[in-house]
Amino acid sequence: KLGLDRSARKVFGKDFPELWEEWREYETSRFKDFQMEGRQETETGWDMKYAKIQNGKLYYQQEFYRKTGAFKGMNFGDLIERDLATGKERKILTNINFATPFKIKNGKLYYTFAFVKTGYDNSCLRSFGQYVCLQEMDFKGKKNKTILRDTIRAFDILEDGRVIYSKDRQDRFGSEIFIKEPGSKSPKMLFQTDYLLQELESSDGRLITVARKDWETFSIFMLNLETQEFTPLIKTAHLEFGISTQGERLFFSANYQKKLSSYCYDFTTGKVYRLTENGLAIFPVYDENNNQLYYIGMNSNGYDIYAKPADFREF
């Protein structure tokens, strides 16, 4: 009645129902070879992000949308613990607005959640802006303790217990790097950088970050806090993200060859290995005791946990 199909025929030579079917056929043909590798461990669907393995258990972050009123809804997140031997799951945290990847260090859980507060220089949100709270939780007693509040983009807990985190620069593109000593009331800024730090991962004396400069893609670097140097480990025109470490191996996701797959960087050899070939496999973690690779894959219901025997093929 509005003449939309008539306009479409004039411009494209076909009306919208025909264009819709043509698009469906194109997408079906384009992904005819798409097939998830490995076995599906969960049947949850919706969205999942990040994963960690600790003491025979897999931890992952599940996110979902919940209706809160007429024409209203909000995103919530749960932190799930899955026993790899039995497959039993339990919720560690529920209804959390996660702001960054969670961490498990020294038998404790560290996570962030976002909240809003007033006092920002904007008019469109009536001076409200997003803040991030970093929490520490004891797995045994489930006692929460607030570590700090700031505009945190990425963080980790160093081996000596110090908290390292990044926040966006206000004057230009890049990050400010902060350290908070155990027991101190306020953090200390170490330096500013033109790199925007998206992820931080400390392991065996190494500090690894997913970062980029303006107009570049996210890549993986080794960060030296003393010299303030960023040494490239994996730096390409593609996207690298979702890092985790296991001994001398660094696991990550990348979109090489137009596929989101899982990869591994070996610190001892400097070589890169491909771990998945088909489907979609992101946020990989490695169970060294059983040689099992766990990752987040995609199906018609959303995202779920998948697993397969780890096969390291040089890439």
Side-chain angles (χ1 to χ4, degrees):
K1 292 183 179 180
L2 297 178
L4 295 178
D5 284 335
R6 183 174 57 195
S7 298
R9 283 193 296 269
K10 181 178 180 181
V11 176
F12 302 110
K14 299 177 182 179
D15 57 25
F16 278 109
E18 292 175 307
L19 292 171
W20 172 261
E21 288 302 323
E22 186 180 89
W23 173 79
R24 286 185 58 185
E25 292 174 2
Y26 165 74
E27 293 293 343
T28 301
S29 174
R30 189 159 70 103
F31 291 102
K32 65 180 184 300
D33 296 326
F34 182 92
Q35 184 177 359
M36 282 301 305
E37 289 187 44
R39 61 187 184 276
Q40 186 174 341
E41 295 284 306
T42 63
E43 296 181 356
T44 307
W46 287 94
D47 195 11
M48 289 182 180
K49 292 179 180 177
Y50 318 119
K52 296 289 181 184
I53 288 182
Q54 185 83 5
N55 298 327
K57 295 178 180 178
L58 173 70
Y59 298 85
Y60 64 90
Q61 193 172 300
Q62 181 187 358
E63 298 182 354
F64 53 91
Y65 189 78
R66 178 170 292 170
K67 183 177 176 63
T68 58
F71 306 107
K72 293 182 179 180
M74 290 185 66
N75 287 311
F76 292 94
D78 294 339
L79 184 66
I80 310 297
E81 176 190 83
R82 181 181 182 85
D83 191 307
L84 296 179
T86 64
K88 292 183 179 180
E89 294 188 345
R90 69 184 182 108
K91 293 182 180 180
I92 303 296
L93 297 170
T94 185
N95 293 340
I96 301 293
N97 184 14
F98 291 107
T100 68
F102 65 93
K103 306 287 182 177
I104 299 176
K105 294 293 176 71
N106 303 320
K108 294 182 180 180
L109 170 69
Y110 297 86
Y111 67 95
T112 60
F113 64 87
F115 62 96
V116 294
K117 74 169 192 174
T118 189
Y120 290 85
D121 295 330
N122 64 68
S123 57
C124 60
L125 297 177
R126 294 180 294 179
S127 80
F128 281 92
Q130 180 171 291
Y131 225 55
V132 174
C133 179
L134 173 58
Q135 296 279 108
E136 175 189 277
M137 191 186 85
D138 190 331
F139 276 104
K140 295 181 180 179
K142 286 192 175 181
K143 295 181 180 179
N144 283 325
K145 180 174 71 174
T146 299
I147 303 299
L148 61 91
R149 293 183 176 92
D150 208 338
T151 52
I152 303 170
R153 176 177 283 270
F155 83 96
D156 201 3
I157 311 299
L158 300 178
E159 295 175 348
D160 56 8
R162 294 183 299 167
V163 179
I164 180 171
Y165 70 96
S166 70
K167 54 187 290 187
D168 295 356
R169 294 178 64 169
Q170 300 299 307
D171 58 335
R172 57 184 297 176
F173 189 90
S175 297
E176 297 175 342
I177 313 301
F178 285 81
I179 282 284
K180 185 178 185 299
E181 302 284 346
S184 65
K185 293 184 178 180
S186 58
K188 174 185 177 182
M189 188 176 78
L190 296 181
F191 61 92
Q192 292 181 326
T193 175
D194 291 336
Y195 285 95
L196 182 70
L197 277 63
Q198 184 71 13
E199 298 180 45
L200 280 166
E201 183 80 10
S202 64
S203 177
D204 296 330
R206 303 183 182 98
L207 182 58
I208 306 156
T209 180
V210 174
R212 72 179 179 93
K213 288 186 175 180
D214 201 10
W215 297 101
E216 293 183 353
T217 55
F218 280 110
S219 300
I220 304 174
F221 300 85
M222 192 93 76
L223 174 56
N224 188 316
L225 293 180
E226 294 183 1
T227 63
Q228 305 177 10
E229 290 182 306
F230 289 77
T231 304
L233 294 179
I234 310 289
K235 190 175 189 300
T236 70
H238 296 82
L239 175 66
E240 290 94 14
F241 66 99
I243 57 175
S244 66
T245 55
Q246 179 64 49
E248 292 297 305
R249 290 171 171 148
L250 168 69
F251 296 86
F252 65 98
S253 315
N255 63 340
Y256 309 141
Q257 300 173 343
K258 300 182 180 181
K259 291 182 180 179
L260 279 169
S261 302
S262 294
Y263 297 86
C264 169
Y265 175 86
D266 194 315
F267 287 106
T268 59
T269 64
K271 295 181 179 180
V272 174
Y273 300 87
R274 185 166 189 164
L275 302 172
T276 61
E277 292 286 347
N278 210 337
L280 181 146
I282 55 178
F283 301 111
V285 289
Y286 180 52
D287 181 6
E288 191 173 26
N289 294 330
N290 300 300
N291 192 41
Q292 291 291 306
L293 178 74
Y294 292 86
Y295 49 91
I296 295 175
M298 186 175 64
N299 54 56
S300 58
N301 292 319
Y303 293 90
D304 275 294
I305 299 293
Y306 287 77
K308 59 171 288 189
D311 181 17
F312 295 86
R313 299 179 299 277
E314 189 171 341
F315 179 71

